[in-house]
Amino acid sequence: MPRKRKLLAQLSALQNNTSFPQIDAVEQLNTTPGTDPSPKSSKYFVIEKKTSPQLQEDFFNQPCVSLAKSFLGQILVRKLPDGRELWGRIVETEAYLGGEDEASHSKGGKQTQRNAAMFMKPGTLYVYQIYGIYFCMNVSSQGEGAAVLLRSLEPLQGLDAMRELRRTSRKAPTRLLKDWQLCNGPSKLCQAFGIDKTFDQRDLTQDAAIWMVPGQDPPGEQDVVATTRIGIGNRGEWAQKPLRFYLRGNRFLFLKAVQNLALCEPPHRGSTGAAA
């Protein structure tokens, strides 16, 4: 017994000696010789597998034209209520500058209940309805009333779900859509991603159902084509300004203006298939 008390006293002295690292007895029990001593069962030692970093406000906080170009190649992610994720690479955009831009919903700096999102922080979604049926999605940028229309996506993940969503929202006879037909237009991509008016004024940097992540292969300047916007009607010089941008040679675009008119507001209603 005296020997046992002596050993306990020595152990106590060692633990109280600041020159020696203290030993966590629980940790010792959870390890075996020759293995990593970290307690794998503890949640504090679990390193979560991180996905691609989400684009933050500093990305969206840039001039409208610059943002419209920067969007090309980035990935839009939509998480459905059942947990499935839809991924699409942005391949076509249009810039709407607000103020003097005659084709913009916010021309002249006019702010309404409908276009309020265009005046909110960069990265805010502006979703509006056309013909009482279709939706178009825009993202606010730097500048009063400025926003970028997302025109076309290259579907990357969740294509079956996109087909399902397109099928339920289309009025035409059901037929199997090809990959390039799923998101090649501003209203088509909204259908395929389940985007409606409830997404208006949502923050892409904060929302749990929709966000953006960086693309893996950013396009170079030589890959970006700048041309006129589609379907904006008689807007004088603004109809001719090169404010539509797309990836050269990409097959997931929707370039035929005559077809696009079916998904855009007619010019006499003062709007277009963009943030007009």
Side-chain angles (χ1 to χ4, degrees), residues 113-114 117 125-128 196-202:
Q113 184 177 359
R114 181 198 193 196
L125 288 181
Y126 171 40
V127 180
Y128 63 87
D196 56 22
K197 188 65 175 177
T198 64
F199 282 78
D200 186 46
Q201 299 187 19
R202 292 199 188 187

Side-chain angles (χ1 to χ4, degrees), residues 157-189:
Q157 177 180 311
L159 275 67
D160 288 342
M162 293 182 198
R163 287 189 177 89
E164 179 184 330
L165 287 164
R166 285 292 313 278
R167 183 169 59 250
T168 57
S169 61
R170 290 164 63 219
K171 305 300 182 182
T174 301
R175 60 185 175 86
L176 184 64
L177 293 173
K178 298 178 180 179
D179 292 356
W180 64 269
Q181 296 175 312
L182 290 172
C183 306
N184 64 331
S187 293
K188 290 180 180 181
L189 72 85

Side-chain angles (χ1 to χ4, degrees), residues 71-108:
F71 271 147
L72 298 177
Q74 311 300 340
I75 310 298
L76 180 69
V77 183
R78 164 81 162 99
K79 188 172 185 177
L80 299 176
D82 61 10
R84 289 180 295 176
E85 287 188 0
L86 313 179
W87 288 49
R89 182 175 181 240
I90 301 171
V91 297
E92 184 180 9
T93 62
E94 286 181 346
Y96 287 83
L97 310 183
E100 62 180 348
D101 188 345
E102 289 293 322
S104 177
H105 283 169
S106 57
K107 65 179 180 180

Side-chain angles (χ1 to χ4, degrees), residues 18-213:
T18 55
S19 63
F20 289 89
Q22 295 194 14
I23 300 173
D24 188 334
V26 176
E27 183 173 311
Q28 287 282 64
L29 290 173
N30 288 334
T31 61
T32 56
T35 62
D36 184 353
S38 300
K40 299 298 188 299
S41 59
S42 172
K43 66 180 181 179
Y44 299 106
F45 289 86
V46 175
I47 299 176
E48 295 182 0
K49 183 179 180 182
K50 294 187 179 297
T51 56
S52 301
Q54 184 173 328
L55 293 177
Q56 298 300 320
E57 186 175 351
D58 57 348
F59 171 84
F60 300 104
N61 189 21
Q62 53 180 307
C64 192
V65 172
S66 175
L67 183 61
K69 294 178 181 179
S70 297
F71 271 147
L72 298 177
Q74 311 300 340
I75 310 298
L76 180 69
V77 183
R78 164 81 162 99
K79 188 172 185 177
L80 299 176
D82 61 10
R84 289 180 295 176
E85 287 188 0
L86 313 179
W87 288 49
R89 182 175 181 240
I90 301 171
V91 297
E92 184 180 9
T93 62
E94 286 181 346
Y96 287 83
L97 310 183
E100 62 180 348
D101 188 345
E102 289 293 322
S104 177
H105 283 169
S106 57
K107 65 179 180 180
K110 182 180 180 181
Q111 184 174 352
T112 65
Q113 184 177 359
R114 181 198 193 196
N115 73 3
M118 299 182 77
F119 294 85
M120 294 180 178
K121 59 174 285 192
T124 302
L125 288 181
Y126 171 40
V127 180
Y128 63 87
Q129 194 170 23
I130 55 178
Y131 287 139
I133 303 174
Y134 303 111
F135 295 94
C136 291
M137 177 170 58
N138 309 262
V139 183
S140 65
S141 68
Q142 190 181 100
E144 283 291 302
V148 176
L149 172 72
L150 303 185
R151 282 199 54 87
S152 298
L153 303 177
E154 177 181 341
L156 300 176
Q157 177 180 311
L159 275 67
D160 288 342
M162 293 182 198
R163 287 189 177 89
E164 179 184 330
L165 287 164
R166 285 292 313 278
R167 183 169 59 250
T168 57
S169 61
R170 290 164 63 219
K171 305 300 182 182
T174 301
R175 60 185 175 86
L176 184 64
L177 293 173
K178 298 178 180 179
D179 292 356
W180 64 269
Q181 296 175 312
L182 290 172
C183 306
N184 64 331
S187 293
K188 290 180 180 181
L189 72 85
C190 283
Q191 289 177 351
F193 272 58
I195 304 299
D196 56 22
K197 188 65 175 177
T198 64
F199 282 78
D200 186 46
Q201 299 187 19
R202 292 199 188 187
D203 185 349
L204 277 175
T205 68
Q206 300 291 332
D207 201 273
I210 188 167
W211 62 91
M212 286 188 187
V213 298

